[in-house]
Amino acid sequence: MTDNYKELLLNFELLSSINTDSVLQKYVLAEHRRNAIRHELIAPLLKAIRKRNPIEFDYTLVRHNGKIVHKRLMPHFLKESQYRWYLIGYDTDGKLKSFGVDRISAINILEDTQFLRDEHIDIPSLFRESYGIWNNPEDPVEDIILKYDSVDGAFVKTLPLHHSQQILSEDETGITVKLRLRITNDFVMELLSRSRSVEVIAPHTLRTRLYDTLRQAAERNKPIETECD
């Protein structure tokens, strides 16, 4: 299989959002757990990227009680991560930022204006040292050591968490791996998905963060006492 064809298959969902009659749909079974809003926005965003048109849109800040802010962006890329699409481009402060497409609304493409696209961006470096969507490049890159039991370890071994993953030890009880990346929210969420077995050996700050999150979750999910009949 040629590299071009592999790329075509990997970008199947993006293609099918533009052309819903794509013949690939006869042969490729795409994940259907998706946000419908994103499909409506992919085509106009891709058009703005190709035409080098600035865009304006409203953006919902989920972590700030749903506050809506107005943004003007020079869009450069679309990236999928963890079943969601993200728009990456230069904000008015000159910084490269990412925005969840499912939180974008009221798009206005400034078709009468074109920006000079930055062709010197090192695309792989934006995500090389992060898990999931690129986050804050000012966050430190850290050495992370994780231990899993034999069941979860088998999954982590066959589908590494990150390209930097190295196996430090492995036996019938489990596996210990080492990673080197930035500790982003996406990475923490991935660790929590296997919280039944994962143990953070290092760094201590990550171990404490998982402990605090799980302790709070356990407190919220205490069994509810009911009166016996």
Side-chain angles (χ1 to χ4, degrees), residues 34-72:
R34 294 293 194 263
N35 189 319
I37 297 177
R38 188 204 61 226
H39 292 288
E40 299 175 4
L41 301 182
I42 289 293
L45 290 177
L46 185 59
K47 178 181 178 181
I49 292 171
R50 287 174 169 170
K51 299 288 188 179
R52 304 193 303 280
N53 296 137
I55 61 173
E56 294 181 341
F57 56 88
D58 290 337
Y59 192 69
T60 302
L61 301 175
V62 176
R63 297 181 184 277
H64 294 274
N65 299 317
K67 178 182 178 181
I68 297 178
V69 295
H70 189 72
K71 306 296 294 185
R72 181 185 173 107

Side-chain angles (χ1 to χ4, degrees), residues 32-223:
H32 294 293
R33 183 165 66 88
R34 294 293 194 263
N35 189 319
I37 297 177
R38 188 204 61 226
H39 292 288
E40 299 175 4
L41 301 182
I42 289 293
L45 290 177
L46 185 59
K47 178 181 178 181
I49 292 171
R50 287 174 169 170
K51 299 288 188 179
R52 304 193 303 280
N53 296 137
I55 61 173
E56 294 181 341
F57 56 88
D58 290 337
Y59 192 69
T60 302
L61 301 175
V62 176
R63 297 181 184 277
H64 294 274
N65 299 317
K67 178 182 178 181
I68 297 178
V69 295
H70 189 72
K71 306 296 294 185
R72 181 185 173 107
L73 194 77
M74 293 186 291
H76 277 60
F77 310 100
L78 283 168
K79 175 177 171 57
E80 187 183 23
S81 177
Q82 304 297 301
Y83 301 109
R84 295 180 185 274
W85 281 100
Y86 293 84
L87 175 66
I88 301 172
Y90 284 98
D91 202 346
T92 52
D93 61 4
K95 295 183 179 180
L96 197 63
K97 299 180 182 179
S98 61
F99 299 88
V101 173
D102 58 307
R103 283 165 271 165
I104 291 176
S105 61
I107 294 179
N108 178 30
I109 300 177
L110 307 179
E111 298 182 355
D112 295 334
T113 306
Q114 284 190 316
F115 61 85
L116 183 62
R117 181 181 174 87
D118 186 352
E119 301 292 354
H120 300 291
I121 300 176
D122 184 358
I123 306 303
S125 72
L126 296 180
F127 312 100
R128 184 180 296 124
E129 295 169 328
S130 295
Y131 178 91
I133 188 65
W134 169 73
N135 201 2
N136 186 358
E138 297 178 0
D139 289 342
V141 177
E142 303 184 58
D143 289 327
I144 300 163
I145 300 178
L146 308 170
K147 184 176 181 180
Y148 294 89
D149 68 9
S150 57
V151 176
D152 281 344
F155 289 101
V156 173
K157 181 179 179 180
T158 55
L159 185 60
L161 297 173
H162 189 252
H163 66 82
S164 65
Q165 180 172 304
Q166 302 175 19
I167 298 177
L168 297 182
S169 64
E170 181 180 10
D171 57 30
E172 66 278 0
T173 65
I175 186 174
T176 301
V177 300
K178 179 180 180 180
L179 312 167
R180 183 167 176 76
L181 45 72
R182 292 186 174 90
I183 299 176
T184 61
N185 288 331
D186 284 348
F187 181 64
V188 173
M189 292 300 292
E190 169 59 27
L191 296 184
L192 290 171
S193 72
R194 297 194 183 278
S195 58
R196 67 161 207 89
S197 76
V198 67
E199 178 184 358
V200 177
I201 308 300
H204 176 73
T205 52
L206 178 58
R207 185 182 180 99
T208 300
R209 183 171 174 177
L210 249 65
Y211 174 81
D212 289 341
T213 301
L214 292 170
R215 179 174 54 80
Q216 293 168 15
E219 187 67 27
R220 284 193 302 271
N221 290 281
K222 281 184 177 179

